[in-house]
mmCIF file with all atom_site columns, all heavy atoms in Angstrom:
data_model
loop_
_atom_site.group_PDB
_atom_site.id
_atom_site.type_symbol
_atom_site.label_atom_id
_atom_site.label_alt_id
_atom_site.label_comp_id
_atom_site.label_asym_id
_atom_site.label_entity_id
_atom_site.label_seq_id
_atom_site.pdbx_PDB_ins_code
_atom_site.Cartn_x
_atom_site.Cartn_y
_atom_site.Cartn_z
_atom_site.occupancy
_atom_site.B_iso_or_equiv
_atom_site.pdbx_formal_charge
_atom_site.auth_seq_id
_atom_site.auth_comp_id
_atom_site.auth_asym_id
_atom_site.auth_atom_id
_atom_site.pdbx_PDB_model_num
ATOM 1  N N   . CYS A 1 276 ? -10.307 8.573   -18.262 1.00 98.00 ? 276 CYS A N   1
ATOM 2  C CA  . CYS A 1 276 ? -9.641  7.259   -17.766 1.00 98.00 ? 276 CYS A CA  1
ATOM 3  C C   . CYS A 1 276 ? -10.720 6.302   -17.772 1.00 98.00 ? 276 CYS A C   1
ATOM 4  O O   . CYS A 1 276 ? -11.736 6.472   -16.986 1.00 98.00 ? 276 CYS A O   1
ATOM 5  C CB  . CYS A 1 276 ? -9.103  7.486   -16.389 1.00 98.00 ? 276 CYS A CB  1
ATOM 6  S SG  . CYS A 1 276 ? -8.278  6.058   -15.652 1.00 98.00 ? 276 CYS A SG  1
ATOM 7  N N   . ASN A 1 277 ? -10.612 5.259   -18.545 1.00 96.00 ? 277 ASN A N   1
ATOM 8  C CA  . ASN A 1 277 ? -11.690 4.303   -18.743 1.00 96.00 ? 277 ASN A CA  1
ATOM 9  C C   . ASN A 1 277 ? -11.831 3.254   -17.628 1.00 96.00 ? 277 ASN A C   1
ATOM 10 O O   . ASN A 1 277 ? -10.863 2.451   -17.443 1.00 96.00 ? 277 ASN A O   1
ATOM 11 C CB  . ASN A 1 277 ? -11.517 3.642   -20.134 1.00 96.00 ? 277 ASN A CB  1
ATOM 12 C CG  . ASN A 1 277 ? -12.690 2.717   -20.444 1.00 96.00 ? 277 ASN A CG  1
ATOM 13 O OD1 . ASN A 1 277 ? -13.735 2.721   -19.762 1.00 96.00 ? 277 ASN A OD1 1
ATOM 14 N ND2 . ASN A 1 277 ? -12.487 1.971   -21.549 1.00 96.00 ? 277 ASN A ND2 1
ATOM 15 N N   . PRO A 1 278 ? -12.929 3.174   -16.958 1.00 98.00 ? 278 PRO A N   1
ATOM 16 C CA  . PRO A 1 278 ? -13.095 2.143   -15.917 1.00 98.00 ? 278 PRO A CA  1
ATOM 17 C C   . PRO A 1 278 ? -13.676 0.870   -16.379 1.00 98.00 ? 278 PRO A C   1
ATOM 18 O O   . PRO A 1 278 ? -13.793 -0.062  -15.614 1.00 98.00 ? 278 PRO A O   1
ATOM 19 C CB  . PRO A 1 278 ? -14.107 2.865   -14.937 1.00 98.00 ? 278 PRO A CB  1
ATOM 20 C CG  . PRO A 1 278 ? -14.891 3.763   -15.760 1.00 98.00 ? 278 PRO A CG  1
ATOM 21 C CD  . PRO A 1 278 ? -14.056 4.123   -16.899 1.00 98.00 ? 278 PRO A CD  1
ATOM 22 N N   . LEU A 1 279 ? -14.118 0.851   -17.657 1.00 97.00 ? 279 LEU A N   1
ATOM 23 C CA  . LEU A 1 279 ? -14.944 -0.317  -18.099 1.00 97.00 ? 279 LEU A CA  1
ATOM 24 C C   . LEU A 1 279 ? -13.956 -1.411  -18.562 1.00 97.00 ? 279 LEU A C   1
ATOM 25 O O   . LEU A 1 279 ? -13.842 -1.735  -19.675 1.00 97.00 ? 279 LEU A O   1
ATOM 26 C CB  . LEU A 1 279 ? -15.829 0.118   -19.264 1.00 97.00 ? 279 LEU A CB  1
ATOM 27 C CG  . LEU A 1 279 ? -16.726 1.328   -18.918 1.00 97.00 ? 279 LEU A CG  1
ATOM 28 C CD1 . LEU A 1 279 ? -17.659 1.671   -20.073 1.00 97.00 ? 279 LEU A CD1 1
ATOM 29 C CD2 . LEU A 1 279 ? -17.528 1.080   -17.704 1.00 97.00 ? 279 LEU A CD2 1
ATOM 30 N N   . LEU A 1 280 ? -13.230 -1.926  -17.615 1.00 97.00 ? 280 LEU A N   1
ATOM 31 C CA  . LEU A 1 280 ? -12.257 -2.856  -17.890 1.00 97.00 ? 280 LEU A CA  1
ATOM 32 C C   . LEU A 1 280 ? -12.607 -4.346  -17.841 1.00 97.00 ? 280 LEU A C   1
ATOM 33 O O   . LEU A 1 280 ? -11.876 -5.289  -18.036 1.00 97.00 ? 280 LEU A O   1
ATOM 34 C CB  . LEU A 1 280 ? -10.985 -2.676  -16.886 1.00 97.00 ? 280 LEU A CB  1
ATOM 35 C CG  . LEU A 1 280 ? -10.506 -1.183  -16.891 1.00 97.00 ? 280 LEU A CG  1
ATOM 36 C CD1 . LEU A 1 280 ? -9.391  -1.148  -15.771 1.00 97.00 ? 280 LEU A CD1 1
ATOM 37 C CD2 . LEU A 1 280 ? -9.919  -0.849  -18.101 1.00 97.00 ? 280 LEU A CD2 1
ATOM 38 N N   . GLY A 1 281 ? -13.996 -4.588  -17.523 1.00 97.00 ? 281 GLY A N   1
ATOM 39 C CA  . GLY A 1 281 ? -14.420 -5.930  -17.231 1.00 97.00 ? 281 GLY A CA  1
ATOM 40 C C   . GLY A 1 281 ? -14.078 -6.883  -18.460 1.00 97.00 ? 281 GLY A C   1
ATOM 41 O O   . GLY A 1 281 ? -13.503 -7.919  -18.160 1.00 97.00 ? 281 GLY A O   1
ATOM 42 N N   . PRO A 1 282 ? -14.560 -6.567  -19.623 1.00 96.00 ? 282 PRO A N   1
ATOM 43 C CA  . PRO A 1 282 ? -14.373 -7.511  -20.714 1.00 96.00 ? 282 PRO A CA  1
ATOM 44 C C   . PRO A 1 282 ? -12.814 -7.850  -20.989 1.00 96.00 ? 282 PRO A C   1
ATOM 45 O O   . PRO A 1 282 ? -12.550 -9.040  -21.079 1.00 96.00 ? 282 PRO A O   1
ATOM 46 C CB  . PRO A 1 282 ? -14.921 -6.708  -21.959 1.00 96.00 ? 282 PRO A CB  1
ATOM 47 C CG  . PRO A 1 282 ? -15.960 -5.815  -21.323 1.00 96.00 ? 282 PRO A CG  1
ATOM 48 C CD  . PRO A 1 282 ? -15.374 -5.426  -20.114 1.00 96.00 ? 282 PRO A CD  1
ATOM 49 N N   . GLN A 1 283 ? -11.957 -6.833  -20.927 1.00 96.00 ? 283 GLN A N   1
ATOM 50 C CA  . GLN A 1 283 ? -10.519 -7.125  -21.052 1.00 96.00 ? 283 GLN A CA  1
ATOM 51 C C   . GLN A 1 283 ? -10.062 -8.063  -20.025 1.00 96.00 ? 283 GLN A C   1
ATOM 52 O O   . GLN A 1 283 ? -9.118  -8.905  -20.123 1.00 96.00 ? 283 GLN A O   1
ATOM 53 C CB  . GLN A 1 283 ? -9.684  -5.915  -21.125 1.00 96.00 ? 283 GLN A CB  1
ATOM 54 C CG  . GLN A 1 283 ? -9.736  -5.130  -22.392 1.00 96.00 ? 283 GLN A CG  1
ATOM 55 C CD  . GLN A 1 283 ? -9.236  -3.658  -22.307 1.00 96.00 ? 283 GLN A CD  1
ATOM 56 O OE1 . GLN A 1 283 ? -9.726  -2.936  -21.474 1.00 96.00 ? 283 GLN A OE1 1
ATOM 57 N NE2 . GLN A 1 283 ? -8.189  -3.362  -23.003 1.00 96.00 ? 283 GLN A NE2 1
ATOM 58 N N   . LEU A 1 284 ? -10.552 -7.832  -18.732 1.00 98.00 ? 284 LEU A N   1
ATOM 59 C CA  . LEU A 1 284 ? -10.034 -8.567  -17.666 1.00 98.00 ? 284 LEU A CA  1
ATOM 60 C C   . LEU A 1 284 ? -10.560 -9.998  -17.676 1.00 98.00 ? 284 LEU A C   1
ATOM 61 O O   . LEU A 1 284 ? -9.770  -10.952 -17.387 1.00 98.00 ? 284 LEU A O   1
ATOM 62 C CB  . LEU A 1 284 ? -10.667 -7.949  -16.360 1.00 98.00 ? 284 LEU A CB  1
ATOM 63 C CG  . LEU A 1 284 ? -9.882  -6.784  -15.860 1.00 98.00 ? 284 LEU A CG  1
ATOM 64 C CD1 . LEU A 1 284 ? -10.714 -6.065  -14.786 1.00 98.00 ? 284 LEU A CD1 1
ATOM 65 C CD2 . LEU A 1 284 ? -8.503  -7.082  -15.255 1.00 98.00 ? 284 LEU A CD2 1
ATOM 66 N N   . MET A 1 285 ? -11.712 -10.234 -18.185 1.00 97.00 ? 285 MET A N   1
ATOM 67 C CA  . MET A 1 285 ? -12.229 -11.607 -18.281 1.00 97.00 ? 285 MET A CA  1
ATOM 68 C C   . MET A 1 285 ? -11.421 -12.436 -19.359 1.00 97.00 ? 285 MET A C   1
ATOM 69 O O   . MET A 1 285 ? -11.132 -13.637 -19.196 1.00 97.00 ? 285 MET A O   1
ATOM 70 C CB  . MET A 1 285 ? -13.725 -11.604 -18.698 1.00 97.00 ? 285 MET A CB  1
ATOM 71 C CG  . MET A 1 285 ? -14.595 -11.178 -17.530 1.00 97.00 ? 285 MET A CG  1
ATOM 72 S SD  . MET A 1 285 ? -14.207 -11.911 -15.987 1.00 97.00 ? 285 MET A SD  1
ATOM 73 C CE  . MET A 1 285 ? -14.048 -10.491 -14.887 1.00 97.00 ? 285 MET A CE  1
ATOM 74 N N   . GLU A 1 286 ? -11.137 -11.725 -20.431 1.00 97.00 ? 286 GLU A N   1
ATOM 75 C CA  . GLU A 1 286 ? -10.338 -12.344 -21.444 1.00 97.00 ? 286 GLU A CA  1
ATOM 76 C C   . GLU A 1 286 ? -8.945  -12.740 -20.928 1.00 97.00 ? 286 GLU A C   1
ATOM 77 O O   . GLU A 1 286 ? -8.406  -13.800 -21.134 1.00 97.00 ? 286 GLU A O   1
ATOM 78 C CB  . GLU A 1 286 ? -10.127 -11.269 -22.610 1.00 97.00 ? 286 GLU A CB  1
ATOM 79 C CG  . GLU A 1 286 ? -9.883  -11.970 -23.967 1.00 97.00 ? 286 GLU A CG  1
ATOM 80 C CD  . GLU A 1 286 ? -9.816  -10.941 -25.127 1.00 97.00 ? 286 GLU A CD  1
ATOM 81 O OE1 . GLU A 1 286 ? -10.738 -10.126 -25.193 1.00 97.00 ? 286 GLU A OE1 1
ATOM 82 O OE2 . GLU A 1 286 ? -8.842  -11.052 -25.866 1.00 97.00 ? 286 GLU A OE2 1
ATOM 83 N N   . ALA A 1 287 ? -8.322  -11.750 -20.210 1.00 97.00 ? 287 ALA A N   1
ATOM 84 C CA  . ALA A 1 287 ? -7.008  -12.017 -19.638 1.00 97.00 ? 287 ALA A CA  1
ATOM 85 C C   . ALA A 1 287 ? -7.039  -13.105 -18.553 1.00 97.00 ? 287 ALA A C   1
ATOM 86 O O   . ALA A 1 287 ? -6.213  -14.001 -18.462 1.00 97.00 ? 287 ALA A O   1
ATOM 87 C CB  . ALA A 1 287 ? -6.444  -10.814 -18.990 1.00 97.00 ? 287 ALA A CB  1
#
Side-chain angles (χ1 to χ4, degrees):
C276 178
N277 184 9
L279 308 179
L280 307 176
Q283 280 167 303
L284 283 165
M285 292 311 127
E286 203 177 312

